[in-house]
Amino acid sequence: MSIFNLFLVPVLSLSLPEPQTLGARGFLRTRSGSNNPGVGEKMNPIQVISLVLLSVLAANSQVIQPGRCPVPAVQEKFDASQYLGTWYEIQKLPNSFQLGECSTATYSLRSPEVVDVLNSELLANGKVSSIRGTAVAKDPAEPAKLLVSFFETSPPSPYWVLSTDYTNYSLVYSCTNLGSRHMEFAWILSRQPTLPEETVEELHSTLSSIGVQLDKLLSTNQDADYCSAMHQ
């Protein structure tokens, strides 16, 4: 699970009002239908904050889609004990909290109910950046729907394992509603620094079926020479 820091997600999970739409020339269209930003009903402070937050998220490469979060099927009979160990990030949806390459996630069992998380990446300056957290299943009946926490002061964030065979690949999805929109994250992980193209295509099909825009996926550099600092 290469979720490095989802502290922005729970902070922004409040219910936001429907943002104004853009007119033909890019002006905010008010309820009166006018394209003139000085005519019509004024936006209240909550609407202004909503638009600012959405603008900031968009500028920081967060993927924001219309509508509420999808509710995809997850891995049946998920077994956390088989999921332990190291995973290499192959692809991801863009986000503002992962800044490097060579990303890995290592899981270990803290207790029967709690998994320790160690996420690492190689920054452009050659330094390895790591963050520790925990993952728990909120509902034992749905063990593939995990909640991940990295900071005691921040609410946990969703980490849903959509599909995994435990020994080769894992497909992870996370989504938070923002009023009439949703912000989503996705990661394709592998037990090795590479993953067969046919497997990637199968996972792409799953993501596409829930509305994820495949053209937004970014490939992670896992070149052995480039990532050598991760293993020192």
Side-chain angles (χ1 to χ4, degrees):
M1 152 186 89
S2 291
I3 299 182
F4 280 84
N5 182 353
L6 288 179
F7 66 93
L8 278 176
V9 177
V11 170
L12 296 175
S13 61
L14 50 97
S15 178
L16 302 179
E18 176 73 23
Q20 321 303 74
T21 58
L22 290 175
R25 297 189 179 183
F27 294 124
L28 287 173
R29 185 185 299 278
T30 62
R31 293 180 185 175
S32 66
S34 171
N35 281 341
N36 189 334
V39 177
E41 185 174 320
K42 294 182 179 179
M43 289 187 293
N44 61 46
I46 295 297
Q47 289 174 312
V48 172
I49 292 173
S50 302
L51 288 172
V52 170
L53 288 175
L54 290 171
S55 298
V56 169
L57 290 169
N60 282 278
S61 302
Q62 307 291 160
V63 177
I64 300 175
Q65 299 273 50
R68 306 284 286 179
C69 284
V71 185
V74 295
Q75 177 68 36
E76 294 184 0
K77 299 179 180 179
F78 178 71
D79 184 352
S81 65
Q82 294 189 60
Y83 201 74
L84 302 179
T86 298
W87 292 91
Y88 294 84
E89 179 184 277
I90 303 300
Q91 290 185 339
K92 65 176 178 292
L93 284 178
N95 58 64
S96 62
F97 45 84
Q98 286 183 264
L99 306 177
E101 299 288 346
C102 312
S103 304
T104 63
T106 301
Y107 306 109
S108 57
L109 198 62
R110 174 181 294 190
S111 71
E113 293 81 25
V114 181
V115 173
D116 279 327
V117 180
L118 173 62
N119 288 337
S120 301
E121 62 179 348
L122 182 64
L123 301 179
N125 62 9
K127 295 183 178 180
V128 176
S129 175
S130 299
I131 186 171
R132 294 182 179 274
T134 58
V136 298
K138 182 179 179 180
D139 182 357
E142 295 183 299
K145 295 183 178 181
L146 299 162
L147 291 174
V148 180
S149 301
F150 289 102
F151 301 96
E152 293 183 358
T153 56
S154 297
S157 301
Y159 177 95
W160 288 15
V161 181
L162 302 191
S163 179
T164 185
D165 67 352
Y166 303 102
T167 58
N168 294 288
Y169 70 86
S170 177
L171 178 60
V172 178
Y173 182 73
S174 179
C175 187
T176 296
N177 286 313
L178 302 174
S180 61
R181 288 171 166 76
H182 65 273
M183 180 166 56
E184 61 185 2
F185 306 86
W187 292 266
I188 293 177
L189 309 178
S190 173
R191 287 296 193 185
Q192 303 296 326
T194 60
L195 194 62
E197 187 60 33
E198 55 268 27
T199 302
V200 173
E201 291 178 357
E202 289 177 6
L203 300 179
H204 281 179
S205 178
T206 299
L207 290 175
S208 181
S209 71
I210 61 173
V212 172
Q213 296 179 324
L214 300 182
D215 61 343
K216 292 186 177 295
L217 287 169
L218 303 176
S219 295
T220 303
N221 187 349
Q222 293 288 1
D223 178 77
D225 290 335
Y226 183 87
C227 301
S228 60
M230 295 283 289
H231 311 294
Q232 295 177 359

